[in-house]
Amino acid sequence: MNLSLVDPFVLAQDCPEVITGRLRSGHSTSIRFSHRGDLLASGRHDGIVVIFDIETNGVARKLRGHTRQVQSLSWSTNDRYLLSAGQDWKCVLWDLKDGSRVRTVRFESAIFIAELHPKNHMLFTAALFEDQPVLVDISAEVASKHTLPSAPRRTQAERENATEKQAAQDAKQTTTVTVFTPSGDHIITGTNKGWLNVVNTKSKQVEHSTRITNSIIVFLRLTPSGRDVVVNSSDRIVRTLHLPELSDPKLDFETLRLEVEHKFQDLVQKLSWNHVSFSPSGEYVTASTWMNHHVYVWERGQGSLVKILEGTKEELSVVEWHPFRPFVAAVGVDTGRVWLWSILQPQRWSALAPDFVEVEENVEYVEREDEFDIQPIEEIHKRRLDQEDEEVDVLTIEPVKAMTEFETSDFRMPVLLDIEASDSEDEVVAIGAGQFRRKSPGAGRDWMNDDDGLVAASGDETRRVTNGTTAQNGTKRRRAG
C-alpha cells in the first residue's frame, strides 16, 4: 500500500487490533518470522517446512526433510539459513538459496527447542527431553556435540554447606529451553526446577544462576537488543527480567542479581500460557492462552493489560510478533491455520489531491460556474506531454530499518510462488455432491473426470476427491476409452 494514502496517526500505532488475514498450508504447529520480516516459516504436523511470503500471503517454498511434526524454527542473521527441529529426533539446516539441506543432525532423544548462533550458522544449541542440552558444531560433515550443564551455579557459601540431597537434586535437573544472546557469547537456559542459567559459549560453564520460579520454565524469548527476557513457566505466570550487558568484561557474575520486573497473569480465570513473545521494541509482551482462543497483550511501562486480540474460535499455540511492524501471527491448534492480526489502514485519498476533501456524510454542494468548462485541446496535450517527461522509479526498494542490532545482508530468498504448492482450503470449491475442484489447476496439474469423482495429478502427488474423502494414489486414472 502507498504510504502517502495512509493516515499518519494510523502509522503511529504500535499494537495490532483486528484479524486482517490468515495463512494455510497444511496443519501448522510452529512459526517464526525472518529477521527482515518479509518471510514467515511454518513447520507442519507432517514434517514439511513451508515458507510464506508476507506481502502476497503465498507459499514461497516447501522444504521436505522431517518425517514427524516440526517443533521449532530458527533463522540465521542474514535470513539465508533456517534450522528446523522435529519430533523425529533430528535437526535440519536448510539453505534457502536453493532449498537444499546443508546438514542433518540426529539425536538420541526428543528435542524441545533448537536455536541458531546469531553470528555463526554452523553452530546451534538444542534442549533435549530428559537429557542434558548440547552445543552442536556442524562446520564439518560429522557434527560435534558438546554437553552443556543444567545444574545451577551455587555461591561459595552454598557450595560449602551443600547437602547430599541438594547435590542429588541438582544432578537431576534438565534444561527445557535454550536461547543465544545477540552477541552469541552466552546462552540463556531454563530448567525444569525454575532456574535461569547463564552459560558461557566458549567455556561451556555456568557463570550465573537465578531461581525465577519453583515450576518448569517452558519458554524464553529475548528482545532484539538482548537486554530483556520474558519467561513463561508452568505456574501460569509470565515474567519479564532486565539483563545487564553480559559481554561486558567488567561485569561481576558473583555479585549479579537478576530481579523480576513484571509478573503477568490472569487472576480471575487462572489461565495458562502456551507461548510468549516480545514486540520489536520490547515495549509489549504477548501470550497465547491454553484452552482459550484469545491473545493477551501487556505493556511493560505500567505492567498492565492493554488489549485482548479476538476473532478466532480455536485455541492458539505459538504466537509471534513481526520484527518491526504491529503485526502478530498465531497458530490455531485445531485447524492449523496461521491467524494474522494487524491494524486496519483506511486510505486517505486527499493526500493525492490537495483540493480533494473527505467528508463524514453527504453535504450540499454548489457547482462553480466554470467548473466543467471544456479545456482547450492544446492545453490538455501540453499537460500530457509534461506528465510523460516525469520519471517514475518503480524498481528501487527502500530498505526497511529493522529494530535490531544484527548485521544486514543483501541475500534475498528466491520466491517461487506457485498455486500448485498451496494447500489452502480457499483454493478448493465444491462442484457437486462429494465432488470438488481447485479454482485454478496450476502449472503441471491435470484435472480430469473419473468414474467416481475428480482426480488431481501433479508431479509429486495424485489426489482423488470423492464423497468428502481424499486418498493417495500412485498413478493417474483416466476414463476408459
Side-chain angles (χ1 to χ4, degrees):
M1 180 185 293
N2 195 335
L3 292 180
S4 62
L5 298 181
V6 182
D7 191 338
F9 292 100
V10 175
L11 292 176
Q13 298 182 22
D14 53 2
C15 189
E17 295 178 340
V18 296
I19 287 182
T20 56
R22 64 182 182 182
L23 304 175
R24 173 71 182 268
S25 178
H27 193 289
S28 296
T29 56
S30 60
I31 56 174
R32 192 76 179 267
F33 281 105
S34 63
H35 292 104
R36 192 180 287 111
D38 56 342
L39 301 173
L40 177 67
S42 168
R44 300 195 333 194
H45 188 270
D46 57 1
I48 298 176
V49 178
V50 180
I51 310 295
F52 289 103
D53 181 74
I54 295 300
E55 296 300 326
T56 62
N57 288 349
V59 175
R61 179 157 291 171
K62 284 186 178 182
L63 309 173
R64 293 174 172 86
H66 293 281
T67 56
R68 299 191 64 182
Q69 174 179 316
V70 177
Q71 283 288 102
S72 69
L73 298 163
S74 178
W75 291 84
S76 63
T77 305
N78 60 358
D79 291 340
R80 174 172 176 175
Y81 299 96
L82 178 69
L83 180 71
S84 60
Q87 287 187 354
D88 52 1
W89 297 14
K90 67 180 180 181
C91 292
V92 179
L93 181 66
W94 305 91
D95 186 355
L96 298 184
K97 185 176 182 179
D98 53 4
S100 62
R101 274 180 275 181
V102 181
R103 294 285 189 275
T104 300
V105 182
R106 289 176 172 82
F107 296 91
E108 300 300 324
S109 58
I111 307 168
F112 281 131
I113 189 172
E115 189 82 10
L116 274 178
H117 192 281
K119 297 182 179 180
N120 182 9
H121 65 273
M122 288 296 184
L123 193 67
F124 71 91
T125 179
L128 306 178
F129 178 71
E130 292 184 350
D131 203 348
Q132 297 304 317
V134 291
L135 181 65
V136 185
D137 186 358
I138 54 177
S139 55
E141 288 292 337
V142 179
S144 176
K145 302 176 184 178
H146 306 279
T147 303
L148 299 176
S150 295
R153 180 183 177 86
R154 302 286 184 175
T155 62
Q156 184 64 29
E158 290 176 337
R159 287 195 293 267
E160 293 176 355
N161 301 325
T163 62
E164 294 182 0
K165 180 179 180 181
Q166 182 180 355
Q169 289 179 349
D170 289 347
K172 292 180 180 179
Q173 288 204 43
T174 58
T175 297
T176 55
V177 59
T178 60
V179 61
F180 278 104
T181 58
S183 64
D185 297 334
H186 294 87
I187 305 171
I188 310 296
T189 66
T191 70
N192 60 343
K193 300 294 183 181
W195 285 88
L196 197 69
N197 297 328
V198 179
V199 182
N200 189 289
T201 305
K202 293 183 179 180
S203 64
K204 304 175 184 60
Q205 298 297 323
V206 178
E207 293 188 339
H208 177 75
S209 297
T210 299
R211 189 159 198 175
I212 304 299
T213 174
N214 295 325
S215 303
I216 302 173
I217 293 181
V218 180
F219 190 74
L220 297 175
R221 178 59 61 85
L222 294 174
T223 54
S225 64
R227 301 301 298 273
D228 300 282
V229 59
V230 59
V231 181
N232 181 26
S233 59
S234 59
D235 60 358
R236 307 184 182 188
I237 300 177
V238 176
R239 298 171 174 85
T240 59
L241 296 88
H242 185 72
L243 299 178
E245 182 56 50
L246 298 177
S247 300
D248 188 358
K250 298 180 181 179
L251 179 63
D252 185 7
F253 285 97
E254 294 293 337
T255 60
L256 178 61
R257 296 292 181 269
L258 298 180
E259 300 293 338
V260 175
E261 179 188 37
H262 292 296
K263 291 183 178 181
F264 303 114
Q265 57 184 321
D266 191 305
L267 297 175
V268 179
Q269 303 182 57
K270 300 294 184 181
L271 295 175
S272 296
W273 313 106
N274 286 336
H275 196 270
V276 293
S277 180
F278 269 124
S279 65
S281 62
E283 182 180 356
Y284 297 98
V285 174
T286 180
S288 57
T289 53
W290 184 71
M291 296 295 291
N292 199 300
H293 53 272
H294 294 157
V295 175
Y296 283 64
V297 181
W298 299 277
E299 57 90 20
R300 293 176 55 207
Q302 302 295 329
S304 59
L305 179 69
V306 294
K307 193 175 292 293
I308 298 178
L309 303 180
E310 302 175 343
T312 64
K313 297 181 180 179
E314 60 178 334
E315 180 186 350
L316 301 171
S317 56
V318 180
V319 58
E320 290 287 339
W321 201 302
H322 194 274
F324 50 85
R325 286 169 50 189
F327 186 84
V328 170
V331 176
V333 174
D334 298 331
T335 63
R337 293 190 187 98
V338 180
W339 300 92
L340 308 176
W341 284 267
S342 186
I343 297 173
L344 290 178
Q345 300 178 347
Q347 294 184 350
R348 190 169 53 95
W349 294 103
S350 57
L352 298 182
D355 56 344
F356 187 87
V357 179
E358 298 181 4
V359 294
E360 297 288 340
E361 56 185 10
N362 293 337
V363 295
E364 184 178 354
Y365 178 72
V366 179
E367 178 185 335
R368 299 194 310 271
E369 182 177 354
D370 58 345
E371 182 172 2
F372 297 103
D373 290 351
I374 299 177
Q375 300 292 332
I377 299 179
E378 294 81 4
E379 183 178 349
I380 296 176
H381 183 65
K382 182 177 180 298
R383 196 178 302 167
R384 289 176 179 172
L385 292 178
D386 293 340
Q387 292 178 351
E388 291 178 357
D389 294 337
E390 297 180 2
E391 295 184 1
V392 181
D393 186 6
V394 297
L395 300 178
T396 303
I397 300 177
E398 297 182 359
V400 180
K401 183 180 179 182
M403 303 178 66
T404 66
E405 297 181 357
F406 296 133
E407 298 178 359
T408 58
S409 68
D410 296 332
F411 173 77
R412 286 187 176 274
M413 189 192 79
V415 177
L416 308 174
L417 295 178
D418 188 356
I419 199 171
E420 180 185 357
S422 176
D423 297 334
S424 172
E425 69 268 19
D426 298 333
E427 292 295 332
V428 181
V429 294
I431 62 173
Q435 296 182 345
F436 302 86
R437 70 169 178 84
R438 293 172 70 93
K439 292 181 181 178
S440 177
R445 182 184 292 271
D446 300 326
W447 285 94
M448 65 217 79
N449 290 322
D450 201 348
D451 296 335
D452 301 325
L454 293 176
V455 175
S458 63
D460 59 347
E461 60 176 340
T462 302
R463 296 186 298 176
R464 173 184 305 280
V465 186
T466 176
N467 297 328
T469 60
T470 304
Q472 296 292 334
N473 233 343
T475 57
K476 297 181 183 178
R477 291 187 57 188
R478 299 183 180 275
R479 181 185 296 273

